[in-house]
Amino acid sequence: MAVIHLSKELKKQAVDDLKKYFMEKREEEIGQLGAELLLDFMLEKVGTVIYNQAIKDAHAFMFEKVEDLYALEKNHRL
């Protein structure tokens, strides 16, 4: 399974969000390294699954929109 890579900015935001989550929801302090390792683990284990589901959802959406085009077809007789 391919690992999802984030830009520096997105990774920093995700790490900050993890640290905030642990503090607010679990009343635990998680350090920078711990948050980075947790994020890397989550991206490795579920990142591709989430990505693939997003692709399937986008495909279904686009298929529906393409099918809608047929409703616009005009009957034409020569």
Side-chain angles (χ1 to χ4, degrees):
M1 215 187 275
V3 177
I4 306 292
H5 295 283
L6 302 177
S7 68
K8 275 185 163 181
E9 295 81 21
L10 283 176
K11 186 169 185 172
K12 182 187 180 320
Q13 183 61 53
V15 166
D16 290 345
D17 288 345
L18 278 172
K19 290 166 68 174
K20 183 178 177 182
Y21 172 84
F22 268 78
M23 186 55 72
E24 290 178 356
K25 302 293 184 183
R26 300 183 47 94
E27 297 181 3
E28 294 178 41
E29 189 170 342
I30 183 172
Q32 185 75 18
L33 179 59
E36 288 178 13
L37 291 173
L38 179 58
L39 177 61
D40 290 344
F41 173 80
M42 290 170 32
L43 288 173
E44 179 184 339
K45 296 299 179 186
V46 298
T48 303
V49 173
I50 294 168
Y51 175 86
N52 287 341
Q53 185 60 52
I55 294 297
K56 288 176 187 175
D57 292 346
H59 178 266
F61 176 81
M62 294 302 294
F63 182 79
E64 182 181 313
K65 295 304 173 193
V66 168
E67 288 296 309
D68 287 348
L69 286 175
Y70 288 117
L72 300 174
E73 188 176 353
K74 307 255 189 239
N75 274 337
H76 179 64
R77 293 183 190 201
L78 291 176

Coordinates of all heavy atoms in Angstrom, one line a residue:
M1 N 0.8 -1.2 0.0 CA 0.0 0.0 0.0 C 0.9 1.2 0.0 O 1.8 1.3 0.8 CB -0.9 0.0 1.3 CG -2.2 0.5 1.0 SD -3.2 0.7 2.5 CE -3.9 -0.9 2.7
A2 N 0.6 2.2 -0.9 CA 1.3 3.4 -0.9 C 1.0 4.3 0.2 O -0.2 4.4 0.6 CB 1.1 4.1 -2.3
V3 N 2.0 5.0 0.7 CA 1.7 5.9 1.8 C 1.4 7.3 1.3 O 1.9 7.8 0.3 CB 3.0 6.0 2.7 CG1 2.8 7.1 3.8 CG2 3.4 4.7 3.3
I4 N 0.4 7.9 1.9 CA 0.0 9.3 1.5 C 1.0 10.3 2.1 O 1.3 10.2 3.3 CB -1.4 9.6 2.0 CG1 -2.4 8.6 1.6 CG2 -1.8 11.0 1.7 CD1 -2.7 8.5 0.1
H5 N 1.5 11.2 1.3 CA 2.5 12.2 1.8 C 1.8 13.5 1.8 O 1.0 13.9 0.9 CB 3.7 12.2 0.9 CG 4.5 11.0 0.9 ND1 5.4 10.7 2.0 CD2 4.6 9.9 0.0 CE1 5.9 9.5 1.7 NE2 5.5 9.0 0.6
L6 N 2.1 14.3 2.9 CA 1.5 15.6 3.1 C 2.6 16.7 2.9 O 3.8 16.4 3.2 CB 0.9 15.8 4.5 CG -0.2 14.8 4.9 CD1 -0.6 15.0 6.3 CD2 -1.4 14.9 3.9
S7 N 2.2 17.8 2.4 CA 3.1 18.9 2.4 C 3.6 19.3 3.8 O 2.9 18.9 4.8 CB 2.5 20.2 1.7 OG 1.5 20.7 2.6
K8 N 4.6 20.0 4.0 CA 5.1 20.5 5.3 C 4.0 21.2 6.0 O 3.8 21.0 7.2 CB 6.3 21.4 5.2 CG 7.6 20.7 5.1 CD 8.8 21.7 5.1 CE 10.1 21.0 5.4 NZ 11.2 22.0 5.5
E9 N 3.3 22.1 5.3 CA 2.3 22.9 6.0 C 1.1 22.0 6.5 O 0.6 22.2 7.6 CB 1.8 24.0 5.0 CG 2.8 25.0 4.6 CD 3.8 24.5 3.5 OE1 3.4 23.6 2.8 OE2 4.9 25.1 3.5
L10 N 0.7 21.1 5.6 CA -0.4 20.2 6.0 C -0.1 19.3 7.1 O -0.9 19.0 8.0 CB -0.9 19.4 4.8 CG -1.8 20.1 3.8 CD1 -2.1 19.2 2.6 CD2 -3.1 20.6 4.4
K11 N 1.2 18.8 7.1 CA 1.6 17.9 8.1 C 1.7 18.7 9.5 O 1.3 18.2 10.5 CB 3.0 17.3 7.8 CG 3.4 16.3 8.8 CD 4.6 15.5 8.4 CE 4.9 14.4 9.4 NZ 5.9 13.4 9.0
K12 N 2.2 19.9 9.4 CA 2.3 20.7 10.7 C 0.9 20.9 11.2 O 0.7 20.8 12.4 CB 3.0 22.0 10.4 CG 3.1 22.9 11.7 CD 3.6 24.3 11.4 CE 3.8 25.1 12.6 NZ 2.7 25.1 13.6
Q13 N -0.1 21.3 10.4 CA -1.4 21.5 10.8 C -2.0 20.2 11.4 O -2.7 20.3 12.4 CB -2.3 22.0 9.7 CG -3.7 22.4 10.1 CD -3.8 23.5 11.2 OE1 -3.2 24.5 11.0 NE2 -4.4 23.2 12.3
A14 N -1.8 19.1 10.8 CA -2.4 17.8 11.2 C -1.7 17.5 12.6 O -2.5 17.0 13.5 CB -2.1 16.7 10.2
V15 N -0.4 17.7 12.7 CA 0.2 17.4 14.0 C -0.3 18.3 15.1 O -0.6 17.8 16.2 CB 1.8 17.5 13.9 CG1 2.4 17.5 15.2 CG2 2.3 16.3 13.0
D16 N -0.5 19.6 14.8 CA -1.0 20.5 15.8 C -2.5 20.1 16.2 O -2.8 20.2 17.3 CB -1.0 21.9 15.2 CG 0.4 22.5 15.1 OD1 1.3 21.9 15.7 OD2 0.5 23.5 14.4
D17 N -3.2 19.7 15.2 CA -4.6 19.2 15.4 C -4.6 18.0 16.3 O -5.5 17.9 17.2 CB -5.4 18.9 14.1 CG -5.7 20.2 13.4 OD1 -5.6 21.3 14.0 OD2 -6.0 20.1 12.2
L18 N -3.7 17.0 16.1 CA -3.6 15.9 16.9 C -3.3 16.2 18.4 O -3.9 15.7 19.3 CB -2.6 14.9 16.4 CG -3.0 14.0 15.3 CD1 -1.8 13.2 14.7 CD2 -4.1 13.0 15.7
K19 N -2.3 17.1 18.5 CA -1.9 17.5 19.9 C -3.1 18.2 20.6 O -3.4 17.9 21.8 CB -0.7 18.5 19.8 CG 0.6 17.7 19.4 CD 1.7 18.7 19.0 CE 2.2 19.5 20.1 NZ 3.4 20.3 19.7
K20 N -3.8 19.0 19.9 CA -5.0 19.7 20.4 C -6.1 18.7 20.8 O -6.7 18.8 21.8 CB -5.5 20.7 19.4 CG -6.7 21.6 19.9 CD -7.1 22.6 18.9 CE -8.3 23.4 19.3 NZ -8.8 24.3 18.3
Y21 N -6.3 17.7 19.9 CA -7.3 16.7 20.2 C -7.0 16.0 21.4 O -7.9 15.8 22.3 CB -7.4 15.7 19.0 CG -8.3 14.5 19.3 CD1 -9.7 14.6 19.1 CD2 -7.7 13.4 19.7 CE1 -10.5 13.5 19.4 CE2 -8.5 12.3 20.0 CZ -9.9 12.3 19.9 OH -10.7 11.3 20.2
F22 N -5.8 15.5 21.6 CA -5.4 14.8 22.8 C -5.6 15.6 24.0 O -6.1 15.1 25.1 CB -3.9 14.3 22.7 CG -3.8 12.9 22.1 CD1 -4.0 12.7 20.7 CD2 -3.6 11.8 22.9 CE1 -3.9 11.4 20.2 CE2 -3.5 10.5 22.4 CZ -3.7 10.3 21.0
M23 N -5.3 16.9 24.0 CA -5.5 17.7 25.1 C -6.9 18.0 25.5 O -7.3 17.8 26.6 CB -4.7 19.1 24.9 CG -4.7 19.9 26.2 SD -4.0 19.2 27.6 CE -2.3 19.1 27.2
E24 N -7.7 18.3 24.4 CA -9.1 18.6 24.7 C -10.0 17.4 25.0 O -10.9 17.4 25.8 CB -9.7 19.4 23.5 CG -9.1 20.7 23.3 CD -9.7 21.5 22.1 OE1 -10.4 20.9 21.3 OE2 -9.3 22.6 21.9
K25 N -9.8 16.3 24.3 CA -10.7 15.1 24.4 C -10.2 14.1 25.4 O -11.0 13.4 25.9 CB -10.9 14.5 23.0 CG -11.5 15.4 21.9 CD -12.9 15.8 22.2 CE -13.4 16.7 21.1 NZ -14.7 17.1 21.4
R26 N -8.9 14.0 25.5 CA -8.4 12.9 26.4 C -7.7 13.5 27.6 O -7.2 12.7 28.4 CB -7.4 12.0 25.6 CG -8.1 11.4 24.4 CD -7.2 10.5 23.6 NE -6.5 9.6 24.5 CZ -6.8 8.3 24.8 NH1 -7.9 7.8 24.4 NH2 -6.0 7.6 25.6
E27 N -7.5 14.8 27.6 CA -6.8 15.4 28.7 C -5.4 14.8 28.9 O -5.0 14.6 30.0 CB -7.6 15.4 30.0 CG -8.9 16.2 29.9 CD -9.7 16.2 31.2 OE1 -9.3 15.6 32.2 OE2 -10.9 16.7 31.1
E28 N -4.8 14.6 27.8 CA -3.4 14.0 27.8 C -2.6 15.0 26.9 O -3.0 15.5 25.9 CB -3.4 12.7 27.1 CG -4.1 11.6 27.9 CD -4.0 10.2 27.2 OE1 -2.9 9.9 26.6 OE2 -5.0 9.5 27.1
E29 N -1.3 15.1 27.3 CA -0.4 15.9 26.4 C 0.4 14.9 25.6 O 0.9 13.9 26.1 CB 0.5 16.7 27.3 CG 1.4 17.7 26.5 CD 2.1 18.7 27.3 OE1 1.8 18.9 28.5 OE2 3.1 19.3 26.8
I30 N 0.4 15.1 24.3 CA 1.2 14.3 23.4 C 2.2 15.2 22.8 O 1.9 16.4 22.4 CB 0.3 13.7 22.3 CG1 1.1 12.7 21.4 CG2 -0.5 14.7 21.5 CD1 0.3 11.9 20.5
G31 N 3.4 14.8 22.8 CA 4.5 15.6 22.3 C 4.6 15.7 20.8 O 3.8 15.0 20.1
Q32 N 5.4 16.5 20.3 CA 5.6 16.7 18.8 C 5.9 15.3 18.1 O 5.3 15.0 17.2 CB 6.7 17.7 18.6 CG 6.9 18.1 17.1 CD 5.8 19.0 16.6 OE1 5.0 19.6 17.3 NE2 5.7 19.0 15.3
L33 N 6.9 14.6 18.7 CA 7.3 13.4 18.1 C 6.2 12.4 18.1 O 5.9 11.7 17.1 CB 8.6 12.8 18.8 CG 9.1 11.5 18.2 CD1 9.5 11.6 16.7 CD2 10.3 11.0 19.0
G34 N 5.5 12.3 19.2 CA 4.4 11.3 19.4 C 3.3 11.6 18.4 O 2.8 10.7 17.7
A35 N 3.0 12.9 18.2 CA 1.9 13.3 17.3 C 2.4 13.0 15.8 O 1.6 12.5 15.0 CB 1.6 14.8 17.4
E36 N 3.6 13.2 15.5 CA 4.2 13.0 14.2 C 4.1 11.5 13.9 O 3.7 11.0 12.8 CB 5.6 13.5 14.0 CG 5.6 15.0 13.9 CD 7.0 15.6 13.8 OE1 8.0 14.8 13.5 OE2 7.2 16.8 13.9
L37 N 4.5 10.7 14.8 CA 4.5 9.2 14.6 C 3.1 8.7 14.5 O 2.9 7.8 13.7 CB 5.3 8.5 15.8 CG 6.8 8.8 15.9 CD1 7.4 8.2 17.1 CD2 7.5 8.2 14.6
L38 N 2.2 9.2 15.3 CA 0.8 8.8 15.2 C 0.2 9.2 13.8 O -0.4 8.3 13.2 CB 0.0 9.4 16.3 CG -1.5 9.1 16.3 CD1 -1.8 7.6 16.4 CD2 -2.2 9.8 17.4
L39 N 0.5 10.4 13.4 CA 0.1 10.8 12.0 C 0.6 9.9 11.0 O -0.1 9.4 10.1 CB 0.4 12.3 11.8 CG 0.1 12.8 10.4 CD1 -1.5 12.7 10.2 CD2 0.6 14.2 10.2
D40 N 1.9 9.6 11.0 CA 2.5 8.7 10.0 C 1.9 7.4 10.0 O 1.6 6.8 9.0 CB 4.1 8.6 10.3 CG 4.8 9.9 10.0 OD1 4.3 10.8 9.3 OD2 6.0 10.0 10.4
F41 N 1.6 6.8 11.2 CA 1.0 5.5 11.3 C -0.4 5.6 10.7 O -0.8 4.7 10.0 CB 0.9 5.1 12.8 CG 0.1 3.9 13.1 CD1 0.7 2.6 12.9 CD2 -1.2 4.0 13.5 CE1 0.0 1.5 13.1 CE2 -1.9 2.8 13.7 CZ -1.4 1.6 13.5
M42 N -1.2 6.6 11.0 CA -2.5 6.7 10.5 C -2.5 6.8 9.0 O -3.3 6.2 8.3 CB -3.3 7.9 11.1 CG -3.6 7.6 12.6 SD -4.2 9.0 13.6 CE -5.1 10.0 12.4
L43 N -1.6 7.6 8.5 CA -1.5 7.8 7.0 C -1.1 6.5 6.3 O -1.7 6.1 5.3 CB -0.5 8.9 6.6 CG -0.9 10.3 6.9 CD1 0.2 11.3 6.7 CD2 -2.2 10.7 6.1
E44 N -0.2 5.7 7.0 CA 0.2 4.5 6.4 C -0.9 3.4 6.4 O -1.1 2.7 5.5 CB 1.4 3.9 7.2 CG 1.9 2.6 6.7 CD 3.0 2.0 7.5 OE1 3.7 2.8 8.2 OE2 3.2 0.8 7.5
K45 N -1.7 3.4 7.5 CA -2.7 2.3 7.7 C -4.0 2.6 7.1 O -4.7 1.7 6.6 CB -2.9 2.0 9.2 CG -1.6 1.5 9.9 CD -1.2 0.2 9.3 CE 0.0 -0.4 9.9 NZ 0.5 -1.6 9.3
V46 N -4.4 3.9 7.1 CA -5.8 4.2 6.6 C -5.8 5.2 5.5 O -6.8 5.4 4.9 CB -6.8 4.6 7.7 CG1 -7.0 3.5 8.7 CG2 -6.3 5.9 8.4
G47 N -4.7 5.9 5.2 CA -4.6 6.9 4.2 C -5.1 6.5 2.9 O -5.9 7.1 2.2
T48 N -4.6 5.3 2.4 CA -4.9 4.8 1.1 C -6.3 4.3 1.0 O -7.0 4.5 0.0 CB -3.9 3.6 0.7 OG1 -2.6 4.1 0.8 CG2 -4.2 3.1 -0.7
V49 N -6.8 3.8 2.1 CA -8.3 3.4 2.1 C -9.2 4.6 2.0 O -10.1 4.5 1.2 CB -8.6 2.6 3.5 CG1 -10.0 2.3 3.6 CG2 -7.7 1.4 3.6
I50 N -8.9 5.6 2.7 CA -9.7 6.9 2.6 C -9.5 7.5 1.2 O -10.5 7.9 0.6 CB -9.3 7.9 3.6 CG1 -9.6 7.3 5.0 CG2 -9.9 9.2 3.4 CD1 -9.0 8.1 6.2
Y51 N -8.3 7.5 0.6 CA -8.1 8.0 -0.7 C -8.9 7.2 -1.7 O -9.6 7.8 -2.6 CB -6.6 7.9 -1.0 CG -6.3 8.3 -2.4 CD1 -6.1 9.7 -2.8 CD2 -6.2 7.4 -3.5 CE1 -5.8 10.0 -4.1 CE2 -5.9 7.7 -4.8 CZ -5.7 9.1 -5.1 OH -5.4 9.4 -6.3
N52 N -8.8 5.9 -1.7 CA -9.6 5.0 -2.6 C -11.1 5.2 -2.5 O -11.8 5.2 -3.5 CB -9.2 3.6 -2.4 CG -7.8 3.3 -2.9 OD1 -7.2 4.0 -3.7 ND2 -7.2 2.2 -2.4
Q53 N -11.6 5.4 -1.3 CA -13.0 5.7 -1.1 C -13.4 7.0 -1.8 O -14.4 7.1 -2.4 CB -13.4 5.6 0.3 CG -14.9 5.8 0.5 CD -15.7 4.7 -0.1 OE1 -15.4 3.5 0.1 NE2 -16.7 5.0 -0.9
A54 N -12.5 8.0 -1.6 CA -12.8 9.3 -2.3 C -12.8 9.2 -3.8 O -13.7 9.8 -4.4 CB -11.7 10.3 -1.8
I55 N -12.0 8.3 -4.3 CA -11.9 8.1 -5.8 C -13.2 7.4 -6.2 O -13.9 7.8 -7.2 CB -10.7 7.3 -6.2 CG1 -9.4 8.0 -6.0 CG2 -10.8 6.8 -7.7 CD1 -9.3 9.3 -6.8
K56 N -13.7 6.4 -5.5 CA -14.9 5.7 -5.8 C -16.1 6.7 -5.7 O -17.0 6.7 -6.5 CB -15.2 4.6 -4.8 CG -14.2 3.4 -5.1 CD -14.4 2.3 -4.0 CE -13.4 1.2 -4.2 NZ -13.5 0.2 -3.2
D57 N -16.1 7.6 -4.7 CA -17.2 8.5 -4.5 C -17.2 9.5 -5.7 O -18.3 9.9 -6.2 CB -17.1 9.3 -3.2 CG -17.3 8.4 -2.0 OD1 -17.9 7.3 -2.1 OD2 -17.0 8.8 -0.9
A58 N -16.0 10.0 -6.1 CA -15.9 10.9 -7.2 C -16.4 10.3 -8.5 O -17.1 10.9 -9.3 CB -14.5 11.5 -7.3
H59 N -16.0 9.0 -8.7 CA -16.4 8.3 -9.9 C -17.9 8.2 -9.9 O -18.5 8.4 -11.0 CB -15.8 6.9 -9.9 CG -16.2 6.1 -11.1 ND1 -17.2 5.2 -11.0 CD2 -15.7 6.0 -12.3 CE1 -17.4 4.6 -12.2 NE2 -16.4 5.1 -13.0
A60 N -18.6 7.8 -8.8 CA -20.0 7.6 -8.8 C -20.7 9.0 -9.1 O -21.7 9.0 -9.8 CB -20.5 7.1 -7.4
F61 N -20.2 10.0 -8.5 CA -20.7 11.4 -8.7 C -20.6 11.8 -10.2 O -21.6 12.2 -10.8 CB -20.0 12.4 -7.9 CG -20.5 13.8 -8.1 CD1 -21.6 14.3 -7.5 CD2 -19.7 14.7 -8.9 CE1 -22.0 15.6 -7.7 CE2 -20.1 16.0 -9.2 CZ -21.3 16.4 -8.6
M62 N -19.4 11.6 -10.8 CA -19.2 11.9 -12.2 C -20.1 11.0 -13.1 O -20.6 11.5 -14.1 CB -17.8 11.8 -12.6 CG -16.9 12.8 -11.8 SD -17.4 14.5 -12.1 CE -17.0 14.7 -13.9
F63 N -20.2 9.8 -12.8 CA -21.0 8.9 -13.6 C -22.5 9.3 -13.6 O -23.1 9.4 -14.7 CB -20.9 7.4 -13.1 CG -21.7 6.4 -13.9 CD1 -21.2 5.9 -15.1 CD2 -23.0 6.0 -13.4 CE1 -22.0 5.0 -15.8 CE2 -23.7 5.1 -14.2 CZ -23.2 4.6 -15.3
E64 N -23.0 9.7 -12.5 CA -24.3 10.3 -12.4 C -24.5 11.5 -13.2 O -25.5 11.7 -13.9 CB -24.7 10.6 -10.9 CG -26.1 11.1 -10.7 CD -26.3 11.4 -9.2 OE1 -26.0 10.6 -8.3 OE2 -26.9 12.5 -8.9
K65 N -23.5 12.4 -13.2 CA -23.6 13.6 -13.9 C -23.6 13.4 -15.4 O -24.3 14.0 -16.2 CB -22.5 14.6 -13.5 CG -22.7 15.1 -12.1 CD -24.0 15.7 -11.9 CE -24.2 16.0 -10.4 NZ -25.6 16.3 -10.1
V66 N -22.7 12.4 -15.9 CA -22.7 12.0 -17.3 C -24.0 11.4 -17.7 O -24.5 11.7 -18.8 CB -21.5 11.1 -17.5 CG1 -21.6 10.5 -18.9 CG2 -20.2 11.8 -17.4
E67 N -24.6 10.6 -16.9 CA -25.9 10.0 -17.2 C -26.9 11.1 -17.3 O -27.8 11.0 -18.2 CB -26.3 9.0 -16.1 CG -25.5 7.7 -16.2 CD -25.7 6.9 -17.5 OE1 -26.9 6.7 -17.9 OE2 -24.7 6.6 -18.1
D68 N -26.8 12.1 -16.5 CA -27.8 13.3 -16.6 C -27.7 13.9 -18.0 O -28.7 14.5 -18.5 CB -27.5 14.3 -15.5 CG -27.9 13.8 -14.2 OD1 -28.6 12.8 -14.0 OD2 -27.5 14.5 -13.2
L69 N -26.6 13.9 -18.7 CA -26.5 14.5 -20.0 C -27.4 13.8 -21.0 O -27.9 14.5 -21.9 CB -25.0 14.3 -20.5 CG -24.0 15.2 -19.9 CD1 -22.6 14.9 -20.4 CD2 -24.3 16.7 -20.2
Y70 N -27.7 12.5 -20.8 CA -28.6 11.8 -21.7 C -30.0 12.4 -21.6 O -30.8 12.3 -22.6 CB -28.6 10.3 -21.5 CG -27.3 9.7 -22.0 CD1 -26.4 9.1 -21.1 CD2 -26.9 9.7 -23.3 CE1 -25.3 8.5 -21.5 CE2 -25.8 9.1 -23.8 CZ -24.9 8.5 -22.9 OH -23.8 8.0 -23.3
A71 N -30.4 12.9 -20.5 CA -31.7 13.5 -20.3 C -31.8 14.8 -21.2 O -32.9 15.2 -21.5 CB -31.9 13.8 -18.9
L72 N -30.7 15.4 -21.6 CA -30.8 16.6 -22.4 C -30.8 16.3 -23.9 O -31.0 17.2 -24.7 CB -29.5 17.4 -22.1 CG -29.3 17.9 -20.7 CD1 -28.0 18.6 -20.5 CD2 -30.5 18.8 -20.2
E73 N -30.7 15.0 -24.2 CA -30.7 14.6 -25.6 C -32.1 14.9 -26.2 O -33.2 14.7 -25.6 CB -30.4 13.1 -25.7 CG -30.2 12.6 -27.1 CD -29.8 11.2 -27.2 OE1 -29.6 10.6 -26.1 OE2 -29.8 10.6 -28.3
K74 N -32.1 15.5 -27.4 CA -33.3 15.8 -28.1 C -33.7 14.7 -29.1 O -32.8 14.1 -29.8 CB -33.1 17.1 -28.9 CG -32.6 18.3 -28.1 CD -33.6 19.2 -27.8 CE -33.0 20.5 -27.1 NZ -33.5 20.8 -25.9
N75 N -35.0 14.5 -29.2 CA -35.4 13.6 -30.3 C -35.4 14.3 -31.6 O -35.8 15.4 -31.7 CB -36.9 13.1 -30.0 CG -36.9 11.9 -29.1 OD1 -35.9 11.2 -29.0 ND2 -38.0 11.7 -28.5
H76 N -34.8 13.7 -32.6 CA -34.6 14.3 -33.9 C -34.9 13.4 -35.0 O -34.4 12.2 -35.0 CB -33.2 14.8 -34.0 CG -32.8 15.5 -35.3 ND1 -33.4 16.7 -35.7 CD2 -32.0 15.1 -36.3 CE1 -33.0 17.0 -36.8 NE2 -32.1 16.1 -37.2
R77 N -35.7 13.8 -35.9 CA -36.1 12.9 -37.0 C -35.6 13.6 -38.3 O -35.7 14.8 -38.5 CB -37.6 12.7 -37.1 CG -38.1 11.9 -36.0 CD -39.6 11.7 -36.2 NE -40.1 11.2 -35.0 CZ -41.2 10.5 -34.9 NH1 -41.9 10.3 -36.0 NH2 -41.7 10.0 -33.8
L78 N -35.0 12.8 -39.1 CA -34.6 13.3 -40.4 C -35.6 13.1 -41.5 O -36.3 12.3 -41.6 CB -33.2 12.7 -40.9 CG -32.0 13.0 -40.0 CD1 -30.8 12.2 -40.5 CD2 -31.7 14.5 -40.1

